[in-house]
Amino acid sequence: MDAQFWDDRYRSRERLFSGNPNGVLVTEVAGLTPGQALDVGCGEGADAIWLARRGWQVTAIDISQTALQRAAATGADLGGRVAWTRADLAAMPLPAGAFDLVSVQYFPLPHQPRHIALRGLLDSVAPGGTLLVAAHDPADLPPGNDAGFDPGHYYQPGEIAGLLDGDWKVLFSETRPRT
């Protein structure tokens, strides 16, 4: 699932996603004090735009240039509150301790030796900040592989929680229905 895969997928339809922010993000972030946010795998930008309109300064990263162009067009009225950034998380180092919120909503982060990309994500959360991860429940995925997609090749929230050290406090680790 490289840049070409995602660009092709976004080009296959006028809009790939609903344009609404993810429900987990809205529920869990609504009460947080705005600061610096990282939106990982921002796609067409609904989460980043929602955050920016609530006072957050957002760095929104995605591997797909097509998705970023759509997101920037949709959020053109935000006056620089979102930095739309093309990046491959597996190859891009993130600044340590830079983000009050790191939001990872349904982003397929592949397993890596020594968990390099995942550790980079964890390290990018500022002291006292929030890491918010939402993923598809593997039980809800259709049988068989979708274009070679095997959920076992990607981090699930429980695995991520298991890699956290004692400096982290897990507030929620649960399965929720997705509408």
Side-chain angles (χ1 to χ4, degrees):
M1 297 195 330
D2 61 5
Q4 186 66 50
F5 170 88
W6 286 107
D7 278 334
D8 290 347
R9 186 152 183 209
Y10 281 104
R11 285 187 202 117
S12 72
R13 294 176 30 196
E14 186 174 324
R15 175 175 286 280
L16 192 59
F17 297 107
S18 71
N20 298 317
N22 281 295
V24 171
L25 176 78
V26 171
T27 298
E28 300 304 331
V29 174
L32 296 180
T33 301
Q36 296 290 322
L38 176 65
D39 182 6
V40 177
C42 68
E44 293 162 317
D47 290 353
I49 292 167
W50 184 87
L51 288 164
R53 288 190 173 140
R54 279 149 187 81
W56 292 85
Q57 187 67 38
V58 183
T59 300
I61 63 173
D62 203 284
I63 198 168
S64 170
Q65 189 64 41
T66 302
L68 290 168
Q69 289 168 344
R70 290 180 184 180
T74 302
D77 65 323
L78 295 171
R81 296 203 60 81
V82 180
W84 304 106
T85 307
R86 186 177 181 280
D88 179 350
L89 188 61
M92 175 187 143
L94 296 170
F99 300 102
D100 303 299
L101 170 66
V102 174
S103 177
V104 185
Q105 303 291 304
Y106 305 98
F107 178 77
L109 181 62
H111 288 123
Q112 290 182 310
R114 298 185 315 278
H115 315 293
I116 293 170
L118 177 57
R119 294 217 184 275
L121 269 178
L122 298 177
D123 290 345
S124 73
V125 180
T130 299
L131 172 67
L132 180 61
V133 179
H136 296 284
D137 183 349
D140 290 341
L141 296 176
N145 290 345
D146 177 17
F149 179 80
D150 179 352
H153 293 163
Y154 300 88
Y155 290 101
Q156 295 299 313
E159 291 175 279
I160 296 170
L163 292 170
L164 300 175
D165 62 27
D167 293 336
W168 291 86
K169 180 179 178 185
V170 176
L171 299 178
F172 302 101
S173 181
E174 60 193 21
T175 301
R176 297 180 185 175
R178 182 175 185 205
T179 56

